[in-house]
Amino acid sequence: MCPLKKHSFLLVVLSLLALLAVGCATDTGPKPFTLASEGVTIKAILILPFRDMTSELGVDRNVRCPLCGQVALTGAVPSDAPRVLTEQLKARVERLPYTFLFSEDQPFLTTDSVKTSDMLERYVALGRQAGVDAVLVGHIFRHTERIGNRYSVQSPASVAFDLHLISTKEQRIVWTVYFDETQQSLSENLLKANAFFKRGATWITADELAASGMDDIIERFPKP
């Protein structure tokens, strides 16, 4: 190998090693596990505020989503997290070919006292009252902030939330997505190199992690 090519090769190797040392990536991304919207006509959607499940079910518990049964590990959820995620969602649905209405209130439905069928009926009733074809409702299970800064952390950001699109005509969930992610170093998960570069090659905040997940989810949102 000529000296010039050898020098270039070494620079590439050293650069990759440096990225492995300081970079960070993620372990999981959005997981659409139900898509049953074929044949369902939806033009107008009511968006409800995100619901904090930790305040109802406690921290560090494996719990089931009250609507779909997806299991999630709960964690710390700041008081403003539901508002932040709701605003992130509102800002991103503008790119979708639907008419959206927004509610400021989330109906109080405790998982201990309300059955899944009753919850669906309540959401369907809200949608019909608003004159829409569907209701979009989400739950927050974890919104844990990183401990550290962008270049060094003791504990990374960790976020888990879901979204459900409920048809008011068919009275059922027609689309569901679940996002559950704890940031990892690039050396821990080389398969997430794209996320590493997309997120600035640093340890990001919980709000930034949620926003990144929301971007991916909106890209997968069913189109008419």
Side-chain angles (χ1 to χ4, degrees), residues 34-99:
T34 299
L35 183 56
S37 57
E38 294 82 357
V40 178
T41 301
I42 294 176
K43 296 181 180 179
I45 300 173
L46 174 67
I47 293 182
L48 298 179
F50 272 87
R51 178 179 171 189
D52 174 12
M53 300 305 295
T54 300
S55 64
E56 298 181 28
L57 301 173
V59 180
D60 295 329
R61 294 184 56 193
N62 285 311
V63 303
R64 291 185 179 277
C65 168
L67 283 176
C68 69
Q70 170 71 39
V71 177
L73 176 65
T74 60
V77 176
S79 59
D80 66 336
R83 177 190 59 78
V84 170
L85 261 71
T86 302
E87 291 301 322
Q88 289 178 349
L89 177 60
K90 287 181 178 181
R92 286 159 177 77
V93 296
E94 294 179 354
R95 71 188 73 165
L96 297 175
Y98 298 101
T99 298

Side-chain angles (χ1 to χ4, degrees), residues 21-218:
V22 301
C24 35
T26 53
D27 56 351
T28 59
K31 303 173 183 177
F33 58 88
T34 299
L35 183 56
S37 57
E38 294 82 357
V40 178
T41 301
I42 294 176
K43 296 181 180 179
I45 300 173
L46 174 67
I47 293 182
L48 298 179
F50 272 87
R51 178 179 171 189
D52 174 12
M53 300 305 295
T54 300
S55 64
E56 298 181 28
L57 301 173
V59 180
D60 295 329
R61 294 184 56 193
N62 285 311
V63 303
R64 291 185 179 277
C65 168
L67 283 176
C68 69
Q70 170 71 39
V71 177
L73 176 65
T74 60
V77 176
S79 59
D80 66 336
R83 177 190 59 78
V84 170
L85 261 71
T86 302
E87 291 301 322
Q88 289 178 349
L89 177 60
K90 287 181 178 181
R92 286 159 177 77
V93 296
E94 294 179 354
R95 71 188 73 165
L96 297 175
Y98 298 101
T99 298
F100 288 96
L101 301 179
F102 304 101
S103 172
E104 298 298 326
D105 299 315
Q106 168 66 267
F108 184 72
L109 301 169
T110 62
T111 56
D112 292 334
S113 60
V114 180
K115 298 179 181 179
T116 297
S117 58
D118 293 334
M119 295 180 70
L120 278 172
E121 288 179 5
R122 188 76 62 86
Y123 288 131
V124 167
L126 287 173
R128 289 177 174 174
Q129 183 178 358
V132 298
D133 304 302
V135 176
L136 188 60
V137 58
H139 307 98
I140 306 175
F141 299 94
R142 194 171 64 253
H143 196 277
T144 306
E145 190 55 86
R146 73 184 182 201
I147 300 176
N149 55 46
R150 290 197 175 275
Y151 305 102
S152 177
V153 295
Q154 298 176 8
S155 178
S158 183
V159 173
F161 65 89
D162 63 19
L163 280 171
H164 307 288
L165 187 65
I166 302 170
S167 168
T168 55
K169 179 180 179 180
E170 300 195 6
Q171 303 182 54
R172 65 182 178 92
I173 298 173
V174 294
W175 180 81
T176 292
V177 67
Y178 173 60
F179 179 82
D180 188 338
E181 191 167 324
T182 299
Q183 201 173 19
Q184 294 178 300
S185 67
L186 185 58
S187 60
E188 290 176 297
N189 196 339
L190 290 171
L191 297 178
K192 291 295 182 177
N194 287 338
F196 155 68
F197 289 110
K198 183 178 180 181
R199 294 170 178 174
T202 61
W203 295 101
I204 59 178
T205 65
D207 283 350
E208 291 169 333
L209 183 58
S212 178
M214 197 73 74
D215 284 334
D216 292 338
I217 285 173
I218 293 304

